[in-house]
Amino acid sequence: MQRIYFDHAATTPLDKEAFEKSAPYYTELFGNADSPHFYGRKAQAAVDSSRDKIAELLGAKPSEIYFTSGGTESDNWALTGLAEAKKKEGRNRVLISAIEHHAVLETAKKLAENGFEIGYIPVNGQGRVEINALLALMDERVAVVAVMAANNETGVVQPCKEIANVAHEYGAYYFMDAVQLAPYERICVKDTNADAVSISAHKCYGPKGIGALYIKDKIKIGKLVVGGEQERGMRGGTTAVAQVVAFAHAYEKCVNAAEKTAETMREYKRLFLEELSDLPFVSVNGDIESSPTGVVNLRLDGVENVAFLYAMDLRGVAISAGSACASASVKPSHVLLAMGLTETEVKNSVRFSFGSDNTKEEIVAGAKIAKETAVKIKNA
Ligand code: PLP
């Protein structure tokens, strides 16, 4: 059976070159980057040049980049760190969009337990934050505004520059979770004017368990992990040298190919939707026209998403019924609910996410299988 992978928003395969570049750091160059001897110096040099590379790609200084275990950790650290930093100025409100990843949503809940007031910025029916909705919530008590660059369930991109401007006008910080946009668009922290940005390697054809957090150098946030002097004393723990090397290499390739990848994704999405266009019960959730990502969130009225996911899997096509962490649970997607879908409509929604390793033939073959599967379940 032909296997087709349409779940790149959950994770991507590791780039082979990135894997090969990192392999020596598992075996012969296995040193601890903090050791002063030959092995340690080699490891440290690799970490330094990887940090330089990622900083350059993001338009940041190397001293503004911290390696973390991935997007979740970066999100936790950024939101907590920025909120606590502003608390010293007497600010106690945190605004997050209603469609943030759970890594941000749950961090906000923890902040609420510690005395912060949380405000949720709504989105419109297309899954976008409207600036007026943000303005309606802004005041001088706001410490941080967090709105992701592209949503993981719909691929919808957010007006991040405008959001950053509004946050700054009111003296608040702006945090951008760029985990999903990073493989498709060059993120430039200066252009966006974000105070903190998170990215994750495994969404960019890098390894799992490694990511980065950019924090503007003038901002002083608290330490994340104590007990080691790594990451300039801010995040202790022996550095994952090989993962760092693979991350930098994969991310560089992704950024250099981003424009072309985005073009390919637009073509794939068009092709895919064309194949399904004669099904009257299919519609797209969210504004995918403006999105450079490979995500298509489809509503298949009368087709239960979990049944669809497993039926597709039996036919060799891997998709998702929401985000990866939510697909195993029965909780309906908070993202789609925030866009105004009913619970039934949410339970009839599935996510396809294409990647640069997919071929046109796979898109067409996968669409045909999706069509047959949807019709079969609907008529059952
Ligand atoms: N933020 C967004 C938007 C994501 O899509 C994800 C992963 O799905 C994360 C954060 C968490 O990243 P990681 O899996 O590296 O912890």
Side-chain angles (χ1 to χ4, degrees):
M1 181 172 57
Q2 183 193 8
R3 292 248 168 227
I4 303 178
Y5 186 77
F6 285 163
D7 202 12
H8 293 80
T11 197
T12 55
L14 179 59
D15 177 82
K16 287 203 171 64
E17 260 179 44
F19 175 62
E20 280 157 18
K21 292 252 179 208
S22 66
Y25 294 94
Y26 286 107
T27 50
E28 62 267 31
L29 298 173
F30 56 84
N32 183 323
D34 293 320
S35 302
H37 48 60
F38 169 84
Y39 294 93
R41 290 198 307 273
K42 279 282 187 195
Q44 189 60 55
V47 172
D48 289 346
S49 63
S50 300
R51 193 188 310 276
D52 290 351
K53 195 179 278 179
I54 290 173
E56 193 188 335
L57 293 164
L58 289 170
K61 295 178 206 154
S63 60
E64 294 174 314
I65 303 298
Y66 295 90
F67 288 117
T68 65
S69 69
T72 303
E73 191 178 304
S74 293
D75 286 358
N76 274 245
W77 193 12
L79 195 62
T80 308
L82 294 178
E84 294 290 349
K86 279 283 178 192
K87 198 176 176 181
K88 293 178 188 131
E89 296 174 21
R91 291 172 182 254
N92 73 336
R93 292 191 73 208
V94 170
L95 299 184
I96 67 170
S97 85
I99 57 162
E100 290 303 296
H101 187 270
H102 282 100
V104 172
L105 290 175
E106 295 300 317
T107 303
K109 279 191 198 159
K110 269 183 82 177
L111 286 170
E113 286 165 16
N114 292 323
F116 284 92
E117 192 186 295
I118 312 300
Y120 294 89
I121 313 159
V123 292
N124 63 20
Q126 289 300 309
R128 247 176 178 253
V129 164
E130 287 179 0
I131 295 301
N132 280 341
L134 171 63
L135 283 168
L137 293 167
M138 286 304 300
D139 60 31
E140 307 293 335
R141 291 172 300 151
V142 176
V144 196
V145 175
V147 179
M148 68 206 320
N151 182 263
N152 46 305
E153 293 189 38
T154 61
V156 175
V157 287
Q158 303 300 327
C160 297
K161 274 189 204 180
E162 290 92 322
I163 292 168
N165 287 342
V166 171
H168 293 152
E169 270 168 34
Y170 283 83
Y173 288 134
Y174 170 55
F175 164 53
M176 178 172 80
D177 172 339
V179 168
Q180 290 289 342
L181 188 63
Y184 305 98
E185 195 175 293
R186 188 190 186 112
I187 309 286
C188 177
V189 295
K190 287 206 188 74
D191 273 4
T192 319
N193 209 3
D195 298 294
V197 175
S198 53
I199 57 172
S200 173
H202 76 103
K203 310 286 184 183
C204 305
Y205 300 84
K208 291 161 189 62
I210 188 85
L213 177 63
Y214 156 84
I215 303 172
K216 209 178 257 179
D217 59 2
K218 288 186 188 72
I219 302 172
K220 297 283 163 263
I221 66 166
K223 295 179 181 197
L224 179 71
V225 181
V226 294
E229 284 308 306
Q230 293 85 3
E231 298 304 300
R232 302 179 293 290
M234 299 290 280
R235 196 246 183 211
T238 302
T239 308
V241 182
Q243 283 98 315
V244 164
V245 170
F247 175 20
H249 192 78
Y251 186 56
E252 183 179 36
K253 275 183 88 170
C254 241
V255 172
N256 289 341
E259 222 170 293
K260 175 86 186 53
T261 307
E263 210 176 288
T264 308
M265 292 306 112
R266 286 184 201 282
E267 189 193 350
Y268 284 1
K269 287 186 286 190
R270 206 175 330 111
L271 201 60
F272 182 77
L273 291 173
E274 234 169 65
E275 287 292 327
L276 294 166
S277 60
D278 54 339
L279 293 186
F281 58 89
V282 176
S283 54
V284 176
N285 292 321
D287 166 29
I288 60 163
E289 290 299 314
S290 59
S291 172
T293 75
V295 177
V296 180
N297 196 305
L298 279 191
R299 196 176 107 201
L300 308 163
D301 286 327
V303 179
E304 206 261 321
N305 58 8
V306 178
F308 182 79
L309 183 151
Y310 287 116
M312 289 290 280
D313 190 41
L314 283 175
R315 300 225 22 211
V317 186
I319 59 151
S320 159
S323 63
C325 22
S327 22
S329 74
V330 283
K331 260 184 152 178
S333 149
H334 66 284
V335 174
L336 300 180
L337 287 175
M339 287 163 63
L341 272 75
T342 64
E343 287 216 7
T344 306
E345 287 168 343
V346 172
K347 283 184 186 154
N348 289 166
S349 296
V350 287
R351 180 186 72 184
F352 296 80
S353 48
F354 310 128
S356 50
D357 53 306
N358 285 133
T359 61
K360 252 191 215 178
E361 290 68 31
E362 284 179 332
I363 303 298
V364 175
K368 288 204 164 93
I369 295 172
K371 201 164 153 178
E372 288 164 15
T373 308
V375 169
K376 201 167 160 189
I377 295 178
K378 186 149 172 93
N379 294 336

